Amino acid sequence: MLSAQTISEHASRDSCWIIVHGKAYDVTEFLDEHPGGSKIILTYAGKDATEAYEPIHPPDAIIDNLSVEKHLGDVDLSTVTKVAKMISEPEKQRQALIVNRPPLDEILNLHDFEAVAKIVLPDKAWAYYSSASDDEITIRENRAAYQRVWFRPRILRDVTAVDWSTTILGQKSSLPVYISATALGKLGHPDGELNLTRAAGKHGVIQMIPTLASCSFDEIVDAAQPNQSLFLQLYVSRDRSITKRYVQHAEKRGVKGLFITVDAPQLGRREKDMRTKFVGDDAEAKVQENMSGVKKDEGVARAISSFIDPSLSWKDIQWFRSITKMPIILKGVSTPEDAILALEAGVQGIVLSNHGGRQLDTSRSGLENLIDIAAGLKTRGPWPNPDFSVFVDGGVRRASDVLKALALGASAVGIGRGFLYAFCSYGEAGVEKAFKILGDEFEMNMRLLGARNLKELVPEMVDASALQAHVGATPKDNLFDSTYQPLRLAEFKAA
Ligand code: PPY
């Protein structure tokens, strides 16, 4: 058993030991390999790094990344003195606001979760989750696109009973909605992604597990009910043996669909995230950046994304087919040309997604792309095609949004931030409430629309004639006016 005193004697670049979850590790040689840079590790040299480690890494990341001789063993935790944390004034105000947040029964829609999350989340978490790329035009457009589609409801159809349940990739789902992947869940809540798993298990909703979850893949699967369906979002690693192991492990553990992210060969620049993360960064970070070639001032997300393989190409699809029998879905398709290539490549589906506005700014919304892509796919086979699912995500907050996408031919719709903000503000109960709100909205909207089940949702029930008209450069709506922050510009140092 090591004492904290012994660890503290290794607090330099030449010999750097840290404590994580009660065990000591020698990370000296790992310092320059750490995707997030050595500076952050050196801050904890000779100390307990657990609190900083937890939200960013799954529990087994350090064990997997260090060879066994660097695992130094258990630490006598009675010798570790907890450093009293200075609680800043804004942090005190935040704690007070958490206590005074609206009771859950006053949350009426998914926008409410977002407004609460903005107030109760630590600045860094809000900046990471809410940020989008460049001028944040696409994230706004994702919502605005739904507002350019209007309903054409049918009447007198006896809508006493309405049913919005469905199957997604052959799996039963109580909603025509799945939980889309969002990374680093513990930045916003100590239980991270498990809030989603537990709530989804209770309500028959399918969760897509993110490659970059804060909880480990196995923790998430272990928290699921025996018959709960899960999908996996995949970032493809430069080292294909890592990807192969991960995919085959997921299949063995019962994952029902592999969603390969294809719109992020490089991570977009999320300036809100970048400005928040690097306040107070100093010259040392710059020196390291020059040495490593990885730009550390581009946000933690960009720094830790260096494992993602930008060489991924159509040629790789056959390889994926050879390593797994799971349905393969390409997440991040925007054009009919690529939708047809995906169909021809033999994958089981595509997600029309712009990554929540976080990648190529001023790319169009998934909903708008659905029009062209449906027309393109119609030239190559049935539409909708039971063997080729077309999902849409981005900006979905209301059941009415979902109904519009389904009427235009989408198989189901993904919601990422909507559920993320629900657990950040109210934990698992928040996610359950979000499902309930959506269910109530489906019931009412389907009655008012005259569709008793999802098959009765037909293109004639929507007027999408304005969808492809881009009238205003920057759309406006109440959510953005009240909740989203104006982008900050470069700030002068105090005189
Ligand atoms: C995103 O932030 O958009 C992601 O997809 C997750 C992520 C997080 C950190 C590094 C790379 C990708």
Side-chain angles (χ1 to χ4, degrees):
M1 190 80 89
L2 293 155
S3 73
Q5 170 62 34
T6 311
I7 314 288
S8 70
E9 286 158 14
H10 300 266
S12 71
R13 185 165 253 291
D14 298 328
S15 181
C16 179
W17 293 9
I18 56 167
I19 305 170
V20 173
H21 295 140
K23 294 191 187 305
Y25 298 90
D26 179 352
V27 290
T28 317
E29 285 167 24
F30 179 69
L31 285 171
D32 290 326
E33 284 167 35
H34 183 231
S38 59
K39 181 170 186 263
I40 183 71
I41 305 187
L42 285 167
T43 315
Y44 294 92
K47 301 194 190 89
D48 191 340
T50 309
E51 251 182 60
Y53 171 95
E54 263 221 325
I56 312 281
H57 314 78
D60 45 13
I62 191 162
I63 302 165
D64 294 347
N65 274 297
L66 290 179
S67 51
V68 273
E69 68 274 14
K70 309 290 179 195
H71 298 205
L72 304 171
D74 292 329
V75 178
D76 179 357
L77 285 178
S78 66
T79 63
V80 177
T81 31
K82 279 245 167 242
V83 185
K85 258 204 181 155
M86 279 277 289
I87 301 184
S88 64
E89 209 39 55
E91 179 57 19
K92 276 189 207 150
Q93 282 166 15
R94 192 179 76 82
Q95 302 282 356
L97 283 161
I98 293 175
V99 176
N100 290 326
R101 83 208 136 134
L104 195 49
D105 57 13
E106 286 179 17
I107 297 294
L108 298 184
N109 54 47
L110 267 58
H111 302 313
D112 283 344
F113 288 117
E114 194 153 354
V116 174
K118 182 188 171 196
I119 305 293
V120 303
L121 278 172
D123 289 348
K124 284 184 183 184
W126 173 252
Y128 171 66
Y129 294 148
S130 68
S131 62
S133 51
D134 297 358
D135 296 312
E136 301 196 340
I137 302 291
T138 289
I139 190 178
R140 287 163 165 77
E141 165 63 8
N142 281 350
R143 285 258 351 107
Y146 283 95
Q147 296 165 0
R148 297 202 299 274
V149 177
W150 301 87
F151 282 124
R152 301 177 73 249
R154 300 301 304 270
I155 55 167
L156 298 176
R157 286 189 157 184
D158 184 359
V159 287
T160 316
V162 285
D163 176 13
W164 52 94
S165 65
T166 188
T167 57
I168 305 179
L169 296 172
Q171 307 303 312
K172 281 202 172 123
S173 174
S174 63
L175 298 173
V177 166
Y178 60 84
I179 302 173
S180 197
T182 51
L184 307 184
K186 283 192 186 171
L187 281 181
H189 189 282
D191 291 349
E193 297 80 11
L194 298 184
N195 290 295
L196 299 169
T197 318
R198 293 177 184 135
K202 285 191 215 159
H203 294 267
V205 176
I206 304 175
Q207 176 189 12
M208 186 194 296
I209 303 173
T211 296
L212 290 163
S214 300
C215 299
S216 75
F217 172 84
D218 283 312
E219 276 180 297
I220 296 175
V221 180
D222 290 343
Q225 309 275 348
N227 288 321
Q228 185 172 339
S229 299
L230 295 164
F231 297 150
L232 177 67
Q233 175 270 333
L234 183 72
Y235 275 118
V236 180
S237 170
R238 292 170 194 264
D239 180 345
R240 288 297 197 290
S241 67
I242 295 176
T243 295
K244 182 175 174 186
R245 227 181 308 132
Y246 187 51
V247 168
Q248 294 188 334
H249 179 65
E251 183 165 7
K252 221 187 275 156
R253 296 238 41 202
V255 166
K256 298 289 191 267
L258 181 67
F259 287 68
I260 304 174
T261 294
V262 293
D263 61 4
Q266 172 175 347
L267 225 60
R269 288 166 55 91
R270 295 92 188 250
E271 294 177 11
K272 200 196 287 176
D273 187 29
M274 290 157 69
R275 287 191 207 283
T276 312
K277 287 269 160 47
F278 288 91
V279 171
D281 229 359
D282 55 20
E284 198 207 325
K286 285 273 169 231
V287 173
Q288 283 178 33
E289 166 188 315
N290 295 340
M291 289 190 318
S292 66
V294 177
K295 286 199 182 331
K296 299 295 187 305
D297 66 350
E298 292 194 341
V300 163
R302 279 195 122 205
I304 66 176
S305 66
S306 54
F307 77 95
I308 299 171
D309 189 353
S311 83
L312 186 68
S313 78
W314 289 107
K315 290 200 290 278
D316 292 291
I317 304 299
Q318 285 321 309
W319 178 76
F320 279 106
R321 193 63 296 160
S322 76
I323 64 163
T324 180
K325 293 202 162 31
M326 285 187 278
I328 295 174
I329 291 85
L330 305 185
K331 179 173 179 288
V333 171
S334 296
T335 60
E337 297 90 309
D338 283 336
I340 290 169
L341 285 177
L343 181 73
E344 289 171 351
V347 298
Q348 283 61 55
I350 51 179
V351 186
L352 313 191
S353 172
N354 52 41
H355 209 117
R358 291 159 82 79
Q359 288 299 105
L360 182 63
D361 198 23
T362 69
S363 53
R364 309 195 309 179
S365 70
L367 186 72
E368 180 175 346
N369 289 329
L370 180 58
I371 303 282
D372 285 355
I373 287 174
L377 290 173
K378 259 185 218 165
T379 66
R380 306 295 161 117
W383 174 261
N385 182 343
D387 299 321
F388 188 76
S389 300
V390 176
F391 303 110
V392 173
D393 73 22
V396 177
R397 294 292 185 277
R398 293 273 191 190
S400 54
D401 300 335
V402 179
L403 295 172
K404 289 173 185 177
L406 299 183
L408 292 170
S411 315
V413 163
I415 299 184
R417 287 192 186 91
F419 295 131
L420 168 75
Y421 292 139
F423 81 68
C424 289
S425 43
Y426 297 92
E428 182 183 337
V431 184
E432 290 195 64
K433 176 78 189 235
F435 296 152
K436 169 88 173 73
I437 289 170
L438 287 172
D440 291 348
E441 289 186 355
F442 276 116
E443 181 175 57
M444 181 193 73
N445 282 295
M446 287 176 71
R447 284 207 173 106
L448 298 181
L449 196 52
R452 286 157 293 198
N453 54 54
L454 300 181
K455 282 202 181 68
E456 289 187 352
L457 282 170
V458 287
E460 293 73 26
M461 281 179 165
V462 289
D463 169 4
S465 59
L467 182 52
Q468 292 178 296
H470 295 245
V471 273
T474 310
K476 261 171 95 78
D477 80 9
N478 183 44
L479 169 68
F480 291 105
D481 291 346
S482 62
T483 305
Y484 280 65
Q485 298 151 311
L487 288 173
R488 281 161 51 193
L489 298 172
E491 282 160 20
F492 286 81
K493 292 204 176 88

